[in-house]
Amino acid sequence: MAASRTGPNMTQIAKAVGVSSATVSNALSGKGRVSPELVEKIRAKAAELGYVPSSAGRALRTGRSNVLGLVLPDISNPLFPQIAQAMESAASDAGYGVLIADSRGDVTTQTQAIARLIERGVDGLVVIPRRGTRIGSVSCPVAMVDTPSTPGNTVSADHWEGGAQLARHLLDLGHRKFLFVGHDRASNVQNDRIGGMKSALGNDVSHETIWIEPMLRRQGDDASLGLLGHVTSGVTAIAAVSDLHALRVLTELQTAGIKVPEQVSVTGFDDLVFAPVVTPSLTTVHMDMTRIAQIAIAALTKEIEGPRTTTVTNTGEIDTPEIDHKNGATVQQTVKADTSKVSMKLMVRASSGPAASPDTQARMEKLYNGD
Amino acid sequence: MAASRTGPNMTQIAKAVGVSSATVSNALSGKGRVSPELVEKIRAKAAELGYVPSSAGRALRTGRSNVLGLVLPDISNPLFPQIAQAMESAASDAGYGVLIADSRGDVTTQTQAIARLIERGVDGLVVIPRRGTRIGSVSCPVAMVDTPSTPGNTVSADHWEGGAQLARHLLDLGHRKFLFVGHDRASNVQNDRIGGMKSALGNDVSHETIWIEPMLRRQGDDASLGLLGHVTSGVTAIAAVSDLHALRVLTELQTAGIKVPEQVSVTGFDDLVFAPVVTPSLTTVHMDMTRIAQIAIAALTKEIEGPRTTTVTNTGEIDTPEIDHKNGATVQQTVKADTSKVSMKLMVRASSGPAASPDTQARMEKLYNGD
DNA sequence: GAACACTGATTAAACGATTAATCACGTCAT
DNA sequence: ATGACGTGATTAATCGTTTAATCAGTGTTC
């Protein structure tokens, strides 16, 4: 039950062409000194035989697998498809494969998942941490994607500024009484988003925040959020920290007979796949995952291909100046080494509209309640 | 810039304990003949030094990478998280890692993605094909996950039977006029689901099918589905082929002031993450992805670890009888070698209810239209 | 014309784990 | 006592690629 390799290897090509295997290696990689004609001949023979380099052999020799690990907090997160797609694409462009690991929302599992990836020999990790978990020291470069306010973050969307944009949009529409809907107090992302929204509000604006997760835990998964009460007391804008929760809000309001956006505006975050297809389509804030992924991958590959070989062995300089000439291929943008944030994009759709005046509101309410 | 391995290797352990590296290998793998005391000593030393086996070295020698490739039609598919999670989990239990590849909905890209995975040395592939694409011959075992009616399918949910279950549920509630909402005529999955639903209907039941994708192409992405017309003409049950489309239907109806499920029942498929959290919560049909993944992975690992080493070299027997004693670890259920289907589970929630009688319906309609 | 540089190729040694073949040694039966 | 056998370990080859070191030529230069 030995190695079940199918195709030919370098030695076979070498024999077929009549040269040494080193020459084949040099010809195919373009590294050593090989005459142009020979390069062409070797290329042709390799193609003819359907040669596929053995990643195992290469990995063993070079010490690099050209595979990155993607550690996800909870794959069932609806934002995950976007993340995975963007990361896979960026990694693929940079010549890397992506090995996934799901931490199922659990910190212990996350640690195990990371360990498994390391054992598989990944060259680096992209970690989207569970609720701002710190990652213990690992033996390979790590890029964290969380929020700018998380220590150790490498790159992320500027959730705060995205929140501010959204709030300004709602302010412009005349809204002065806000309800923020969060899921989980411990989430850095959610706190940033709500913080950003609050920061844009003036003194004449009132706001309140409710958290879904504790409500569900107390009252069961199908608990009502009691939005009707808030609407009756004058709230005209409900901003959820995710489209998923915005959807919950939207349908709860619609079932209660409240018109969106005529009576209440509803907004979300993330621009999930369903945001444009619901009625009314959801005003939300879009993350440029493609760019985030590019930056994360670029930061990682730079560190992998750069000088600092292992963990923290060398104490001295941290600067890595002379390595930007070789990767003129994929990501052109400058990549801030330390931590960078990518701005979000407001997507104005149909679920946000002018604030109803208190009069209008009272009238409509009467219409619906008193039949 | 040589290999940047961090930890110790077998030779170092061997030296530290005072034995040969072969003994270390045997001790850690439990394969050769090593005295129990020595095994313990080697184990201890390995743990002490923090030994992590080199997957590259092992892969090179054994010819197996212990990595599987997961080829997805379109990562942005909202069902993908479930798939990826289930596959990762099943693969991980079987000792395999999962390398992802996105084909971005394109057949050419899919071929390239598969090629990249092969180059990375995957031991097998799980392919969720784009619209029943046939996979060209590849040099490693492949498990296809599509529909039972697709040739070459390995395992899938029994979409047909799931559709039948759902239709029976709606029939039991008294519905006699159905509207099916599909997205794309070319999808095997969607055809199976609709076919299954139709198969359960009797002669006294009328039904019609609309397809979203052509409508969007003609009228733009925010096109209305014109559901109001169907409802006016007596449809009481609208069954979409996916929760995503069911959500579209639901919110369009709600916006039009039609009560769900009082006037119209709405159902979906897939039990996507938002299905339980919208109001009314969505009646849908759940896929047992965990089981599907287990079967797919088991089929794959069986073929990988089994006798048939490469592609189609041997013409004779396809039976592989004597290899079921060694995998008594993870998946206990018997795995049908050829093609197997996993039954779906009806999730009855709030969006489906008793059919309104024609009278009731007319009355409610009057109430809403004539105010 | 001899030292020298340059070019285009080869040699051989890794990388780390696995494993068939072998060996030393003690036990046991004949 | 001698050959057979079993046990616990070692030896050495192998997987396929990369690369530093080396080498044989061919011009070049003073």
Side-chain angles (χ1 to χ4, degrees):
Chain A
M1 215 166 291
S4 63
R5 283 273 302 175
T6 328
N9 54 25
M10 287 198 161
T11 316
Q12 294 182 31
I13 297 179
K15 219 171 288 174
V17 179
V19 293
S20 74
S21 69
T23 303
V24 174
S25 175
N26 284 329
L28 294 178
S29 68
K31 278 193 173 171
R33 291 184 296 223
V34 190
S35 67
E37 314 87 71
L38 198 45
V39 167
E40 196 39 56
K41 213 155 89 181
I42 289 173
R43 282 246 165 78
K45 189 53 104 180
E48 179 196 330
L49 298 178
Y51 169 70
V52 177
S54 151
S55 49
R58 177 176 292 163
L60 178 57
R61 175 63 226 244
T62 63
R64 293 218 310 258
S65 61
N66 280 312
V67 170
L68 302 177
L70 177 59
V71 182
L72 295 149
D74 184 7
I75 288 192
S76 67
N77 182 328
L79 185 56
F80 169 61
Q82 282 185 39
I83 302 178
Q85 183 176 50
M87 290 294 170
E88 197 270 339
S89 176
S92 178
D93 286 348
Y96 286 83
V98 176
L99 215 41
I100 58 172
D102 180 17
S103 57
R104 298 172 163 284
D106 187 57
V107 182
T108 322
T109 323
Q110 178 174 286
T111 314
Q112 293 169 352
I114 292 180
R116 276 206 313 268
L117 290 177
I118 302 269
E119 281 181 33
R120 287 240 138 71
V122 296
D123 294 335
L125 289 175
V126 177
V127 180
I128 296 157
R130 170 76 175 162
R131 296 190 198 172
T133 324
R134 296 293 287 274
I135 304 300
S137 63
V138 285
S139 54
C140 70
V142 175
M144 279 238 308
V145 181
D146 192 8
T147 74
S149 50
T150 308
N153 178 70
T154 304
V155 56
S156 65
D158 194 341
H159 301 286
W160 185 280
E161 181 260 350
Q165 272 190 59
L166 181 56
R168 281 195 297 271
H169 164 65
L170 291 169
L171 283 174
D172 287 348
L173 289 170
H175 296 277
R176 291 297 178 271
K177 190 144 192 199
F178 286 73
L179 177 66
F180 299 131
V181 179
H183 180 79
D184 182 348
R185 267 207 169 74
S187 158
N188 290 347
V189 170
Q190 295 179 32
N191 283 320
D192 268 28
R193 290 175 173 180
I194 293 179
M197 291 195 279
K198 286 181 183 168
S199 75
L201 304 180
N203 293 331
D204 58 331
V205 179
S206 77
H207 59 81
E208 198 182 335
T209 305
I210 61 173
W211 298 94
I212 294 183
E213 199 269 337
M215 296 177 71
L216 296 186
R217 220 169 358 156
R218 281 199 304 273
Q219 304 168 37
D221 278 354
D222 51 354
S224 152
L225 302 182
L227 298 174
L228 205 51
H230 288 96
V231 173
T232 319
S233 70
V235 163
T236 64
I238 303 184
V241 295
S242 158
D243 287 348
L244 189 56
H245 310 121
L247 183 61
R248 181 171 212 140
V249 168
L250 176 66
T251 55
E252 184 169 327
L253 291 176
Q254 284 187 324
T255 303
I258 293 171
K259 295 279 179 189
V260 178
E262 289 82 357
Q263 285 177 278
V264 180
S265 289
V266 174
T267 64
F269 269 90
D270 292 343
D271 199 14
L272 296 184
V273 59
F274 56 77
V277 308
V278 296
T279 307
S281 58
L282 212 50
T283 293
T284 187
V285 188
H286 182 88
M287 297 174 69
D288 189 351
M289 261 303 168
T290 306
R291 181 136 169 66
I292 291 177
Q294 281 177 351
I295 296 179
I297 301 293
L300 225 43
T301 53
K302 184 181 169 187
E303 195 160 350
I304 292 170
E305 287 154 20
R308 195 142 59 101
T309 41
T310 43
T311 345
V312 208
T313 16
N314 55 353
T315 36
E317 304 86 60
I318 317 289
D319 58 344
T320 62
E322 71 290 6
I323 5 163
D324 20 317
H325 49 276
K326 73 168 291 192
N327 58 345
T330 318
V331 187
Q332 302 91 338
Q333 292 103 333
T334 8
V335 175
K336 271 178 62 180
D338 209 6
T339 173
S340 57
K341 39 190 173 180
V342 174
S343 60
M344 300 185 85
K345 187 177 171 205
L346 179 65
M347 310 291 289
V348 176
R349 296 209 182 93
S351 71
S352 60
S357 72
D359 291 3
T360 321
Q361 221 179 331
R363 217 170 334 123
M364 293 187 81
E365 208 161 306
K366 199 157 162 235
L367 191 71
Y368 275 85
N369 285 346
D371 148 24
Chain B
M1 213 166 293
S4 63
R5 283 274 302 175
T6 326
N9 53 25
M10 285 199 161
T11 316
Q12 295 182 30
I13 296 180
K15 219 171 288 175
V17 179
V19 295
S20 74
S21 68
T23 304
V24 175
S25 174
N26 284 329
L28 294 179
S29 68
K31 279 195 173 171
R33 292 184 297 221
V34 190
S35 68
E37 314 88 69
L38 199 44
V39 167
E40 197 40 54
K41 214 156 85 180
I42 290 172
R43 281 246 164 78
K45 194 48 121 178
E48 178 196 332
L49 298 178
Y51 169 70
V52 177
S54 151
S55 49
R58 178 177 291 162
L60 179 58
R61 176 63 226 242
T62 63
R64 291 219 312 258
S65 60
N66 279 313
V67 170
L68 302 177
L70 177 60
V71 182
L72 295 149
D74 184 6
I75 290 191
S76 67
N77 183 329
L79 185 57
F80 169 60
Q82 282 186 37
I83 303 178
Q85 183 177 50
M87 290 293 171
E88 197 270 340
S89 176
S92 179
D93 287 348
Y96 286 82
V98 176
L99 215 41
I100 58 172
D102 179 18
S103 58
R104 298 173 162 281
D106 187 60
V107 182
T108 322
T109 323
Q110 178 175 285
T111 314
Q112 293 168 353
I114 293 179
R116 278 206 312 268
L117 290 177
I118 303 270
E119 282 180 31
R120 289 240 136 70
V122 297
D123 293 336
L125 289 176
V126 177
V127 180
I128 296 158
R130 169 78 175 162
R131 295 189 198 172
T133 325
R134 295 294 286 275
I135 304 299
S137 62
V138 286
S139 55
C140 70
V142 175
M144 281 241 305
V145 181
D146 192 8
T147 74
S149 50
T150 308
N153 179 70
T154 304
V155 56
S156 64
D158 193 342
H159 301 285
W160 184 281
E161 181 261 350
Q165 271 190 61
L166 181 57
R168 283 194 297 271
H169 163 65
L170 291 169
L171 282 175
D172 287 349
L173 289 169
H175 296 276
R176 290 297 177 270
K177 191 148 190 197
F178 286 71
L179 177 66
F180 300 130
V181 178
H183 180 79
D184 182 349
R185 268 207 165 78
S187 157
N188 290 348
V189 170
Q190 295 180 32
N191 283 320
D192 268 28
R193 289 175 174 180
I194 292 179
M197 291 195 278
K198 285 183 184 168
S199 76
L201 305 180
N203 292 332
D204 57 331
V205 179
S206 77
H207 60 82
E208 199 182 333
T209 306
I210 60 173
W211 298 93
I212 294 184
E213 199 268 338
M215 297 177 71
L216 297 186
R217 218 165 4 152
R218 279 199 304 272
Q219 304 168 38
D221 278 355
D222 51 352
S224 151
L225 301 182
L227 299 173
L228 205 51
H230 289 97
V231 173
T232 320
S233 70
V235 164
T236 64
I238 304 184
V241 294
S242 158
D243 287 349
L244 190 57
H245 309 122
L247 182 62
R248 180 170 210 141
V249 168
L250 176 65
T251 56
E252 185 170 324
L253 291 176
Q254 284 186 324
T255 303
I258 294 170
K259 294 279 180 192
V260 177
E262 290 82 357
Q263 285 177 277
V264 180
S265 287
V266 175
T267 64
F269 268 90
D270 292 343
D271 199 14
L272 296 184
V273 60
F274 55 78
V277 308
V278 295
T279 308
S281 57
L282 213 49
T283 292
T284 187
V285 188
H286 182 88
M287 298 173 69
D288 189 350
M289 262 302 168
T290 305
R291 182 137 167 67
I292 291 177
Q294 282 175 351
I295 296 179
I297 301 293
L300 225 42
T301 54
K302 183 182 170 189
E303 195 160 350
I304 291 171
E305 287 153 21
R308 193 142 61 102
T309 42
T310 43
T311 345
V312 205
T313 17
N314 54 356
T315 36
E317 303 86 60
I318 318 289
D319 58 344
T320 62
E322 72 286 9
I323 3 163
D324 21 316
H325 48 275
K326 72 168 291 190
N327 59 345
T330 317
V331 186
Q332 302 89 337
Q333 291 104 334
T334 7
V335 175
K336 271 176 63 181
D338 211 5
T339 173
S340 57
K341 39 190 173 180
V342 174
S343 61
M344 299 184 85
K345 188 177 172 208
L346 179 65
M347 311 291 290
V348 177
R349 297 212 181 91
S351 71
S352 61
S357 71
D359 290 3
T360 322
Q361 219 179 333
R363 218 175 327 126
M364 292 187 81
E365 207 161 310
K366 197 154 164 237
L367 191 70
Y368 275 83
N369 285 346
D371 153 13

